[in-house]
Amino acid sequence: MLTSIEGRSVVVTGASKGIGKGIAKVFAKSGGKVLIVSRHLDEAEACAEELRRAGGIAKGYAADVTKFGDMQTLVDAAAAAHGGIDILCTNAGIFPQMKIEELSSEDWDYVMATNLKGTFLPIKACLSHLKKSDQGRIVITSSITGPVTGFPGWAHYGASKAGQLGFMRTACIELAKYGITVNAVLPGNIATEGLAALGLEYERSMSASIPLKKLGTVEDIGYAALFLASKEAAYITGQTIIVDGGQILPESMEALAQA
Ligand code: NAP
């Protein structure tokens, strides 16, 4: 059992719902003091209240990961509420589906600002506190889409998710001297509010293409993040964990049909 999260100050971006909420829940259950970040304070606070009712320590905070000023005030809020920052989970992300022929320059910039710059800015802002921690950890939520697979409508999204890993591979070298590790979780298709918005037919066809025959849960991602943030994972940096029920493995639909 990973007990080294007890009392640690954890910041999770994009945590009012979906995967971020799952990560926050798992860390709070493990004794972490969690700052729940999203753009809407009522939703962030509602999530924090749910975690507190379950016995955890959590606080909601409104901030936009595309704005460095917001990230600086977030750091002050986390430090004031929970005494420093030990673990940062950069999870906020969006996945509007648009094929290249419809995709505008503005659409591209919006996805890059949220998913890629929105990974860099919280990391930069939290560094001063992560450097002081004896368990400085950064866990990035990337995706199988981009780093491993492609899907029509997600060229811009895939580029942002692969970009996160390019960023990570240099960040882990630069930050190693402070004992900070930087790793990423690559979810497959996980049941979240964002995924539900893609429709039932998308969920059905995705479940059928996964060897384990079901979508993942937000807690499945939370436990992978928990491991990467633990003391026990201190010697792992610049690495990725794919959590996808085996989705990337079949060579074809035929391979699944014959199983
Ligand atoms: P979701 O259900 O739509 O939740 C997204 C969260 O991010 C919300 O809390 C949202 O709150 C917050 N957010 C969005 N833009 C933000 C911004 N600019 N600043 C701060 N917070 C922001 O999404 P999800 O499905 O959980 O996805 C979360 C992450 O997992 C993303 O990085 C996504 O790429 C990745 N992922 C998801 C899947 C999947 O199957 N679901 C698969 C692979 C990777 P507000 O709107 O209040 O800001």
Side-chain angles (χ1 to χ4, degrees), residues 14 16 18-19 38-40 63-65 91 142 157 161 188 190 192 194:
S16 62
I19 289 176
S38 85
R39 288 166 301 181
H40 301 93
D64 184 333
V65 295
N91 166 82
S142 176
Y157 174 75
K161 293 283 139 180
I190 308 300
T192 66

Side-chain angles (χ1 to χ4, degrees), residues 136-207:
R137 300 277 187 275
I138 297 167
V139 183
I140 296 169
T141 306
S142 176
S143 177
I144 56 169
T145 311
V148 189
T149 62
F151 199 102
W154 280 316
H156 56 332
Y157 174 75
S160 73
K161 293 283 139 180
Q164 288 177 304
L165 301 189
F167 174 83
M168 175 190 77
R169 292 189 178 108
T170 287
C172 69
I173 299 172
E174 285 188 22
L175 303 182
K177 60 178 172 284
Y178 306 118
I180 300 171
T181 68
V182 193
N183 293 289
V185 179
L186 277 56
N189 280 271
I190 308 300
T192 66
E193 290 85 339
L195 194 97
L198 299 172
L200 277 176
E201 180 48 30
Y202 176 84
E203 285 187 34
R204 194 205 54 74
S205 72
M206 278 304 131
S207 303

